[in-house]
Amino acid sequence: MTRARDQNRRGGCCGSLANYLTSAKFLLYVSHSLSTWPLVFLFKGDRMWHFAVSVFLVELYGNSLLLTAVYGLVVAGSVLVLGAIIGDWVDKNPRLKVAQTSLVVQNVSVTLCGIILMMVFLHKNELLTMYHGWVLTSCYILIITIANIANLASTATTITIQRDWIVVVAGEDRSKLADMNATIRRIDQLTNILAPMAVGQIMTFGSPVIGCGFISAWNLMSMCVEYFLLWKVYQKTPALAVKAAFKVEEAELKQLNVHKDTEPKPLEGTRLMGDKDPDILELEHKQEPSCASQIAEPFRTFRDGWVSYYNQPIFLAGLGLAFLYMTVLGFDCITTGYAYTQGLSGSILSILMGASAITGITGTVAFTCLRRKCGLVRTGLISGFAQLSCLILCVISVFMPGSPLDLSVSPFEDIRSRFIQIEPLPTTTTTKIPGTFSTTDMHVSNGSSPANIAIETSPKSVPIISVSLLFAGVIAARIGLWSFDLTVTQLLQENVIESERGIINGVQNSMNYLLDLLHFIMVILAPNPEAFGLLVLISVSFVAMGHTMYFRFAQKTLGSRLFACGPDGKEVTNENQTNTSVV
């Protein structure tokens, strides 16, 4: 009896493991892992991409930031303008078609970019001499264009998988939805550690050509596996085959057919000879849309998307999340460049990036625990308070010894010389003082463009108290940041009707990119290290405004029970929809 019981227990454990490994949830995790790993190379505006783009584009253009700046503006502008249109396309097409099309376009575009980059790296000197360099310039334009298409396809993939499929797979189980959201975010954080390490090793011991070849090969292989996994998830979840928009259309057609069937038909021979058949008249009324109407359709979609976003009950929560993108307090190229001016080496920065990923994973764990004990809306409040508390360290760092803040230096003093190129590119000289931290002063000579920046290192050692407090605050704030991000993500998933998930999340992405674009413009206007302290204060102010908007949303949602700890029982209702969702 004991032996039989042990065998049954082993069979039960093995059976449970087998069921989990073949479940739609696990297949989604594997598919997302494969897709997020190559996102380092997908010309996407996330943190992992900045690690690779700063290497490839700067290396390609001769240690200049011009291509990187142009690409960043193109990506932000494209998503800002086309976010609602992409979301509308996601809403109006079958789920499997959207996922497979965006996946193929995304991976094929990245593969093409990798191949073109390989050719440019191998034959750059020859291309430079052809037609006075116009062939090489055309290659740059082609690379940025295809990379931007890859980013737009990646946006569509993110909307359809992380904002729609995951909701359907979770069903009505909100705890399961929260766990799946947190797991996907943990995968993102792990790739923040592993992917830059892999790219760094390839670029260190190989070459840009080898790196581009690795990118192309990985995307081709992962595309086939992801395509198969998405098909398996679709097969295992029958609910994915039915969309709310299609349900509404079918119901309207049925009602129309019933109405036609119940109408009394005229007797044969009673219709006059000049009268036309009603079916023929109906076909004549259905005229083809005019050319002007077709041209205006994207503009109407853009307008309707933003109006619908504004009318959502979670508008303030989404706007609060977007305001968090207006910050220099993240591990992007701006903060990394400032760290270099304060004497931090690449190895120290890589350790700090790993620490930020660990705190980000901690934030996903905190989200699941807080949501279970305090409710979803209160989790956002607690997360916001935690993030702002940690960012106080960044504010203190601005006034500590070692901070380059100098209010006597105007950030707009040399703005004309930064945008009008008169003199040739100056040479770059670097002096390294072993055993001390050195201050790297970035300056621009008269008439040089912002892409042609000369970096000189002065032997002046600086205290590291300021930069240490700055990064301590940034890293610690990731716990509250990612917990808050997951909160707003689930609020969007639960409180946006199924037929509008795509367009609303597309507008949300546009809002995020708009604020991200504003933060880059802010840095362009004040690029001096002496002005970075002001940028920190402005960033913390925008984060505070974002959380203030979320507090207003929570107050409207929970009312007098805002500070009553426990799962939320109130419903977030949309006046324009009949269904409600518990937050």
Side-chain angles (χ1 to χ4, degrees):
M1 290 291 292
T2 305
R3 184 179 301 172
R5 196 176 296 126
D6 292 340
Q7 289 178 352
N8 290 334
R9 188 179 299 128
R10 289 172 190 163
C13 294
C14 294
S16 300
L17 179 61
N19 290 334
Y20 177 75
L21 294 179
T22 56
S23 65
K25 179 170 70 172
F26 179 76
L27 294 176
L28 266 180
Y29 293 158
V30 176
S31 175
H32 183 70
S33 299
L34 288 171
S35 64
T36 52
W37 178 269
L39 278 182
V40 184
F41 323 110
L42 279 186
F43 299 88
K44 183 180 178 183
D46 57 27
R47 293 163 184 82
M48 292 193 302
W49 158 241
H50 285 289
F51 184 86
V53 73
S54 61
V55 175
F56 284 117
L57 295 184
V58 172
E59 181 76 19
L60 183 65
Y61 204 65
N63 295 326
S64 172
L65 300 176
L66 179 61
L67 284 185
T68 305
V70 171
Y71 169 73
L73 291 174
V74 169
V75 164
S78 298
V79 178
L80 177 61
V81 173
L82 301 176
I85 298 173
I86 292 173
D88 185 63
W89 175 75
V90 171
D91 285 332
K92 291 182 177 179
N93 289 276
R95 288 188 172 98
L96 187 61
K97 175 185 175 182
V98 170
Q100 292 178 340
T101 302
S102 57
L103 175 68
V104 171
V105 172
Q106 174 184 346
N107 285 274
V108 170
S109 299
V110 173
T111 302
L112 286 176
C113 272
I115 295 173
I116 297 174
L117 282 168
M118 289 176 64
M119 301 303 296
V120 173
F121 277 123
L122 289 172
H123 305 286
K124 183 178 179 181
N125 293 331
E126 292 87 342
L127 294 173
L128 189 59
T129 58
M130 296 174 62
Y131 297 98
H132 305 285
W134 282 107
V135 174
L136 184 60
T137 303
S138 301
C139 290
Y140 293 155
I141 297 174
L142 184 62
I143 289 170
I144 291 176
T145 302
I146 298 176
N148 186 46
I149 294 173
N151 181 74
L152 293 175
S154 176
T155 301
T157 303
T158 301
I159 292 174
T160 188
I161 299 298
Q162 298 187 33
R163 302 295 187 267
D164 185 30
W165 280 47
I166 190 174
V167 180
V168 179
V169 171
E172 300 296 327
D173 192 341
R174 299 174 64 232
S175 296
K176 182 179 179 181
L177 177 61
D179 292 337
M180 292 181 70
N181 284 329
T183 301
I184 287 180
R185 194 67 78 237
R186 287 169 198 145
I187 293 173
D188 290 336
Q189 294 301 313
L190 286 174
T191 51
N192 278 341
I193 302 175
L194 299 177
M197 290 173 57
V199 177
Q201 295 301 314
I202 292 171
M203 296 298 295
T204 300
F205 298 102
S207 65
V209 176
I210 295 176
C212 295
F214 173 77
I215 294 169
S216 301
W218 177 270
N219 277 273
L220 282 178
M221 292 187 299
S222 66
M223 179 181 66
C224 300
V225 179
E226 287 176 73
Y227 198 95
F228 172 76
L229 290 174
L230 288 175
W231 180 79
K232 290 294 291 182
V233 172
Y234 189 81
Q235 293 295 320
K236 287 181 174 293
T237 312
L240 289 171
V242 182
K243 256 192 166 181
F246 299 148
K247 293 177 185 176
V248 173
E249 290 177 2
E250 290 177 1
E252 290 176 351
L253 288 174
K254 286 181 180 179
Q255 291 178 359
L256 183 61
N257 292 333
V258 170
H259 180 68
K260 286 183 178 179
D261 292 339
T262 56
E263 284 183 351
K265 296 183 179 179
L267 297 175
E268 294 182 4
T270 59
R271 189 185 301 123
L272 298 176
M273 292 182 64
D275 293 344
K276 290 186 178 181
D277 187 77
D279 294 334
I280 298 176
L281 286 172
E282 185 178 354
L283 291 174
E284 290 180 352
H285 284 304
K286 291 182 179 179
Q287 299 177 352
E288 291 291 331
S290 63
C291 181
S293 177
Q294 291 179 348
I295 294 175
E297 181 64 26
F299 297 97
R300 284 196 296 267
T301 302
F302 179 85
R303 180 202 62 194
D304 295 343
W306 283 84
V307 171
S308 179
Y309 177 79
Y310 175 77
N311 291 327
Q312 292 296 316
I314 40 80
F315 166 70
L316 287 175
L319 189 61
L321 177 64
F323 265 62
L324 268 58
Y325 283 75
M326 176 65 177
T327 178
V328 297
L329 302 175
F331 281 91
D332 56 6
C333 54
I334 294 172
T335 309
T336 302
Y338 173 76
Y340 274 113
T341 67
Q342 298 303 294
L344 297 186
S345 63
S347 60
I348 294 177
L349 279 175
S350 63
I351 294 173
L352 294 176
M353 289 179 66
S356 72
I358 293 173
T359 55
I361 294 173
T362 305
T364 64
V365 176
F367 164 75
T368 55
C369 297
L370 288 172
R371 194 205 68 85
R372 203 161 34 240
K373 294 184 177 298
C374 302
L376 186 60
V377 174
R378 295 187 190 90
T379 297
L381 287 175
I382 298 172
S383 302
F385 178 77
Q387 184 184 8
L388 284 173
S389 299
C390 295
L391 291 181
I392 292 176
L393 293 175
C394 300
V395 175
I396 296 174
S397 72
V398 174
F399 307 100
M400 294 299 290
S403 173
L405 178 65
D406 188 356
L407 297 179
S408 63
V409 178
S410 173
F412 310 106
E413 184 177 353
D414 298 325
I415 192 168
R416 181 178 179 274
S417 63
R418 277 191 244 118
F419 287 96
I420 302 177
Q421 182 172 355
I422 301 174
E423 297 181 1
L425 177 68
T427 58
T428 302
T429 58
T430 305
T431 305
K432 185 177 181 181
I433 307 299
T436 62
F437 284 104
S438 59
T439 303
T440 306
D441 297 321
M442 297 179 63
H443 70 277
V444 182
S445 62
N446 292 332
S448 63
S449 68
N452 302 328
I453 299 176
I455 301 177
E456 293 185 1
T457 306
S458 63
K460 177 185 175 183
S461 61
V462 296
I464 61 172
I465 298 177
S466 175
V467 71
S468 299
L469 284 174
L470 175 69
F471 279 96
V474 170
I475 292 172
R478 314 301 273 185
I479 298 175
L481 170 65
W482 288 113
S483 180
F484 182 79
D485 177 84
L486 285 169
T487 299
V488 178
T489 296
Q490 187 155 344
L491 285 170
L492 286 166
Q493 291 169 335
E494 293 181 356
N495 297 287
V496 176
I497 60 175
E498 184 178 346
S499 60
E500 293 184 349
R501 277 182 197 148
I503 194 168
I504 297 302
N505 282 283
V507 175
Q508 180 65 52
N509 283 345
S510 297
M511 284 293 303
N512 297 344
Y513 271 95
L514 174 62
L515 273 297
D516 191 53
L517 181 62
L518 290 178
H519 115 267
F520 276 109
I521 294 175
M522 178 178 67
V523 175
I524 290 173
L525 294 177
N528 303 327
E530 293 83 2
F532 191 81
L534 290 177
L535 302 185
V536 169
L537 298 178
I538 294 173
S539 299
V540 174
S541 300
F542 269 85
V543 172
M545 284 189 287
H547 289 302
T548 302
M549 294 176 189
Y550 183 85
F551 178 82
R552 178 56 181 158
F553 158 77
Q555 191 178 40
K556 291 171 62 178
T557 302
L558 299 179
S560 60
R561 296 183 301 106
L562 180 62
F563 300 104
C565 189
D568 300 328
K570 188 173 179 178
E571 295 178 342
V572 174
T573 59
N574 189 344
E575 296 177 355
N576 300 324
Q577 67 188 61
T578 57
N579 60 326
T580 56
S581 175
V582 179
V583 286

